[in-house]
Amino acid sequence: MIGDDFAELKLFITGPILLRDEVRKAALLPEYGHRDSENIKRFGSIMSNLMTIAGNPEGYTPMIFNGSGTNVLEASVRSLVSDTDKVLNVSVGAFGDLFGKLSEANGKNLISLKFPYGQAIDLKILEEALVEHKPDVVTFTHNETSTGVINDVVSVCKLIRAHGALPVVDGVSIFGGAPSTIAEARPLMYCTSTQKSLGLPAGFGIGFVGDEALKKAEGVKNRGYTTDILAQITKARLCQTLTTPNGTLGNQMCVQLDYIVNTETVAVRFKRHEEMRKIAHDWVAEMDGYELFAQDGYRSLSLTTVKTPAYMTIDRLKEVKEHMRGHGYLFDPGYGKINKELQEQGTSPIFRIGHMADIMPDMLKDYLEALRGVLSSFK
Ligand SMILES: *Cc1c(COP(=O)(O)O)cnc(C)c1O
């Protein structure tokens, strides 16, 4: 039968992620009409639970875009950066670069500021760029999934605003695992998606859109249609999507967000992510020759990046991956482009430990024990 040979692997990659059984079962709930009274039974609670997970930031409306995280990021630049604006993209890795690419691909007037892999945004260097370029909009990443770095969103947003610019944040891999900080940071728009720390399959981009962003969009031409937050807002206020949503994902999201808010609770979920980060860090500390890759003080709550010893190579990490598959796990051998660059510089690659969404501390400990065993045969 089709599917008989689909492997039941525990995913420790950084998205898509392992799904709870209850989320998998929710895929069997009835299909519904997205303009029918059945829709609000799902999306009414989805919208209010999204606000709860976000920390109930006043003046923001959650918006659901079909597609994935990239679609909502593209919507943010199309809706918020005008033809006469200068947009400064601040990147600390591959996903930061993607945000810049989206501005460039849409013909925006882009300036790029990049930090070395493993480093967070340095406020002094950012300030110099703000003074030099005087951008109108600044885009940056909350949690850089390729390098395991988490930026201080509140400080970065405050600095951007102090220089008269408007911040837009990619929070894709952290939302649902740590505080969004939207209420304090007050970005124009905060973007995320379903298949990372929220513990759902991919399929929706989620945007928290401030009232200020709705005003700003009025002055932007060629916002597109599905990427236009002004087209989206009318439906979002009715707890609907602009175009037909994935009904299965809607059912699963309704069940999962209710679980996060009312069963696990947001505070406990965030604490669990802190605990898992500590488990990963303690494990690395015990591993001879292995080191944490991300800058101290800016290490992600949803994934850990590990610098390997000199004898490790990209090809060997692929072998590690296959060994881990034999143990029933999907191992993450690191972000391909970054490891290629590291190899070209003559340094060993990094790998990633995804510890987000509904991975439990004991599951992570078991995984790391298996990984310790596999890595010990490479020397
Ligand atoms: C995964 C990810 C994206 C891309 O999201 P897709 O859902 O794959 O489109 C963007 N930014 C960050 C930080 C991510 O982790």
Side-chain angles (χ1 to χ4, degrees):
M1 219 179 90
I2 290 181
D4 281 353
D5 66 338
F6 293 180
E8 185 71 60
L9 293 175
K10 291 201 178 81
L11 275 57
F12 277 80
I13 58 174
T14 58
I17 40 72
L18 180 140
L19 300 177
R20 293 189 310 121
D21 282 345
E22 198 188 350
V23 172
R24 291 170 69 161
K25 286 186 190 133
L28 299 173
L29 290 170
E31 184 65 308
Y32 49 94
H34 63 298
R35 303 289 182 239
D36 179 60
S37 57
E38 281 290 313
N39 183 79
I40 194 91
K41 294 183 190 168
R42 282 87 168 167
F43 282 89
S45 89
I46 287 173
M47 295 307 207
S48 80
N49 286 333
L50 280 174
M51 283 299 280
T52 303
I53 297 166
N56 287 312
E58 223 185 293
Y60 285 81
T61 308
M63 234 174 236
I64 294 184
F65 295 78
N66 285 310
S68 64
T70 309
N71 295 78
V72 63
L73 294 177
E74 185 152 36
S76 75
V77 297
R78 289 209 61 161
S79 290
L80 298 171
V81 183
S82 80
D83 292 344
T84 53
D85 279 345
K86 256 196 225 172
V87 54
L88 173 68
N89 183 62
V90 186
S91 171
V92 301
F95 289 102
D97 292 351
L98 170 70
F99 214 169
K101 193 185 288 176
L102 293 172
S103 275
E104 196 178 19
N106 283 288
K108 308 299 181 188
N109 184 4
L110 171 71
I111 300 147
S112 293
L113 173 64
K114 283 193 72 163
F115 290 92
Y117 296 138
Q119 301 293 301
I121 294 173
D122 180 320
L123 295 179
K124 271 210 191 96
I125 295 173
L126 172 59
E127 182 155 37
E128 285 165 15
L130 291 167
V131 169
E132 185 187 344
H133 300 293
K134 299 184 178 55
D136 300 282
V137 177
V138 180
T139 53
F140 73 97
T141 317
H142 187 170
N143 188 69
E144 177 50 73
T145 322
S146 68
T147 62
V149 165
I150 187 164
N151 284 308
D152 177 352
V153 173
V154 173
S155 301
V156 172
C157 283
K158 280 193 176 144
L159 181 62
I160 291 166
R161 284 199 181 265
H163 289 269
L166 299 165
V168 180
V169 181
D170 167 2
V172 168
S173 59
I174 193 68
F175 186 83
S180 77
T181 72
I182 298 170
E184 214 188 329
R186 303 210 66 80
L188 264 187
M189 183 166 169
Y190 185 95
C191 306
T192 186
S193 77
T194 49
Q195 83 283 14
K196 308 260 168 102
S197 293
L198 283 175
L200 286 159
F204 294 147
I206 302 157
F208 291 89
V209 178
D211 295 339
E212 193 187 6
L214 298 172
K215 278 213 192 75
K216 173 87 172 78
E218 285 171 13
V220 178
K221 283 190 203 137
N222 298 317
R223 299 184 299 270
Y225 180 61
T226 61
T227 48
D228 179 8
I229 59 170
L230 297 183
Q232 293 275 358
I233 188 69
T234 320
K235 293 298 184 196
R237 286 186 175 137
L238 298 169
C239 298
Q240 293 184 13
T241 48
L242 181 62
T243 58
T244 315
N246 175 335
T248 306
L249 180 56
N251 283 331
Q252 292 174 303
M253 192 171 184
C254 180
V255 168
Q256 173 70 347
L257 299 193
D258 178 74
Y259 164 81
I260 292 173
V261 170
N262 298 313
T263 304
E264 182 174 30
T265 75
V266 174
V268 171
R269 191 174 179 86
F270 291 173
K271 261 225 131 64
R272 178 167 57 78
H273 279 77
E274 283 180 21
E275 191 188 336
M276 293 194 296
R277 171 171 68 179
K278 183 168 188 313
I279 290 167
H281 287 192
D282 289 350
W283 179 84
V284 175
E286 285 174 11
M287 292 288 293
D288 215 21
Y290 290 82
E291 283 167 36
L292 292 170
F293 179 68
Q295 183 182 344
D296 191 13
Y298 298 89
R299 291 172 181 153
S300 172
L301 289 145
S302 57
L303 74 139
T304 294
T305 42
V306 185
K307 180 94 184 118
T308 57
Y311 55 78
M312 198 49 93
T313 61
I314 291 172
D315 285 344
R316 284 179 147 191
L317 281 182
K318 283 184 188 152
E319 283 178 51
V320 171
K321 182 181 173 194
E322 293 314 309
H323 278 96
M324 288 302 283
R325 187 192 306 279
H327 290 278
Y329 291 117
L330 186 58
F331 168 79
D332 189 323
Y335 196 88
K337 186 173 160 268
I338 291 181
N339 276 346
K340 261 199 205 117
E341 285 180 35
L342 290 174
Q343 188 156 289
E344 278 159 19
Q345 294 160 21
T347 49
S348 56
I350 56 174
F351 67 81
R352 296 183 290 187
I353 305 162
H355 41 75
M356 60 178 75
D358 296 297
I359 287 175
M360 293 293 144
D362 283 347
M363 294 162 64
L364 177 61
K365 283 181 191 162
D366 289 348
Y367 172 76
L368 293 174
E369 217 28 63
L371 184 56
R372 185 200 309 276
V374 168
L375 289 173
S376 69
S377 60
F378 290 81
K379 274 200 171 127

